[in-house]
Amino acid sequence: MPDTLRRAMLQRPGADVFDKKTSIHCAEYAAYAAYAARDRQAGLHDYELHLTGALPGRIRVSDGADREVPPEAVVLLGPRLPHRLAIEYRSGGAAEQPRGLVLRFGDEPLRRGMELFPELNDAGPLLARARHGVQFLGLGEGTIGRFRRIHALQGLARFSEFTALLSELAQWNDYRLLCTPSLQEDAHDENGRATRIHTALDHIRENYAEELSLAEVSAVVGMREHTFSRCFRRATGQTFTDVVIGLRVDKACRLLLSTRQHVSSICYEVGFNNISNFNRHFRRLKGMAPGEFRAIARE
């Protein structure tokens, strides 16, 4: 039988399928969609982390346009995200093909956990971005596999995998926002500042290989340089320079793994202006030299 296209209007799941005494719930899309219409208020204060299945689909967040999503795409949605998430996905095919998953965790328990375990605060910038919806780009098989293990585990083992996944996503710099409010918001309003920071991050991700300056990016979003620097660090947990360098090193890692380019060629392609500077920052972030990173990965 040929694949058929089914539309599941994924609102928040009802309590029936997520009524276990745990703060981290994980279910296949089929179970998620089956209870979606029963209680539209359920899960309003939860984050939802979606992993699409083996086939591509489409996603719509809030009243934005439909977006294509590839197989095994990971999307994070924050609590109280306006309107609803709509996903179209194809069913059928081999039974062993990976299925889509939804991982749901509460906002309030996580905030309380941050008070008890300060290490959880590292996820703060990630959770702030989730209010606009985040699609992560270029995630490796290890991260996808961790997501699927969470579905298979319970108790402390599940919680351990969940915090490890949250840490990986919090450090991942290659992503796109799915729903960005208008820049007409008041620049002095907290939401307006957050929107401008997200816009700045988009600009940085698109141009990190070029010569970027704090003054240039702050001008792009219409903020004073000092105010932008302060708000940027508060929102991301990193300085402007740290984010740019992190993106360059992450791109360098992908090139080291997927190409045979010389290290010096990669250095300039990702935006560093000399090999010494590249090696120093790469070693600081990855704990080894670029050549060593490539050799270990190939082994």
Side-chain angles (χ1 to χ4, degrees):
M1 176 182 294
D3 289 347
T4 60
L5 187 64
R6 298 189 303 168
R7 173 171 291 271
M9 299 306 291
L10 301 181
Q11 298 164 349
R12 303 291 179 173
D16 306 63
V17 73
F18 293 121
D19 60 354
K20 297 181 179 180
K21 294 182 178 180
T22 176
S23 59
I24 304 166
H25 311 275
C26 194
E28 292 186 355
Y29 269 130
Y32 180 92
Y35 292 91
R38 296 197 178 186
D39 185 356
R40 296 186 179 185
Q41 298 300 314
L44 280 177
H45 302 286
D46 296 334
Y47 293 90
E48 290 178 1
L49 193 60
H50 294 257
L51 172 62
T52 59
L55 296 168
R58 291 184 295 174
I59 186 170
R60 185 174 74 246
V61 175
S62 187
D63 56 356
D66 284 0
R67 294 173 181 265
E68 297 293 328
V69 289
E72 299 206 316
V74 176
V75 173
L76 176 63
L77 303 169
R80 298 175 296 279
L81 192 62
H83 302 296
R84 60 190 177 183
L85 165 70
I87 285 183
E88 285 188 340
Y89 63 98
R90 297 181 185 274
S91 62
E96 65 272 12
Q97 287 183 333
R99 299 182 179 182
L101 298 175
V102 182
L103 191 156
R104 185 165 65 83
F105 53 99
D107 182 41
E108 184 179 350
L110 193 59
R111 300 294 176 184
R112 291 203 305 266
M114 289 178 175
E115 296 177 2
L116 297 173
F117 303 99
E119 292 82 0
L120 287 174
N121 285 301
D122 289 349
L126 171 66
L127 302 182
R129 291 192 293 271
R131 64 193 296 269
H132 298 309
V134 182
Q135 180 184 344
F136 299 92
L137 307 175
L139 290 174
E141 293 181 2
T143 304
I144 302 300
R146 190 182 297 282
F147 197 135
R148 295 201 175 278
R149 284 197 298 274
I150 291 174
H151 181 235
L153 296 171
Q154 295 293 332
L156 186 59
R158 169 178 281 189
F159 184 77
S160 176
E161 286 288 338
F162 166 73
T163 54
L165 176 63
L166 201 63
S167 175
E168 290 179 12
L169 296 180
Q171 297 177 62
W172 196 258
N173 290 317
D174 197 1
Y175 61 84
R176 66 175 177 177
L177 298 180
L178 299 176
C179 146
T180 305
S182 170
L183 282 177
Q184 299 304 315
E185 293 172 321
D186 184 358
H188 298 289
D189 176 75
E190 189 65 31
N191 289 337
R193 286 197 296 267
T195 298
R196 289 168 186 258
I197 296 303
H198 290 315
T199 301
L201 286 168
D202 286 341
H203 182 79
I204 293 169
R205 285 194 298 273
E206 292 172 3
N207 300 280
Y208 65 84
E210 308 299 327
E211 290 187 10
L212 277 180
S213 68
L214 180 66
E216 173 193 338
V217 179
S218 61
V220 167
V221 296
M223 296 178 71
R224 295 179 182 273
E225 190 172 335
H226 175 73
T227 302
F228 171 74
S229 178
R230 175 169 48 82
C231 292
F232 187 90
R233 184 158 191 168
R234 181 188 302 168
T236 66
Q238 297 177 287
T239 66
F240 167 81
T241 301
D242 287 340
V243 168
V244 173
I245 290 174
L247 285 168
R248 290 172 175 173
V249 169
D250 286 346
K251 177 63 174 179
C253 288
R254 293 197 291 273
L255 291 174
L256 287 166
L257 295 176
S258 62
T259 74
R260 294 183 176 276
Q261 287 180 254
H262 193 275
V263 171
S264 60
S265 173
I266 291 174
C267 159
Y268 295 108
E269 180 173 338
V270 301
F272 287 99
N273 53 16
N274 65 73
I275 191 68
S276 176
N277 196 32
F278 172 56
N279 286 333
R280 178 168 59 86
H281 287 300
F282 194 100
R283 186 180 293 276
R284 176 174 61 85
L285 293 177
K286 300 300 178 181
M288 63 187 74
E292 185 180 1
F293 176 88
R294 171 179 271 171
I296 292 176
R298 287 179 174 175
E299 289 175 2

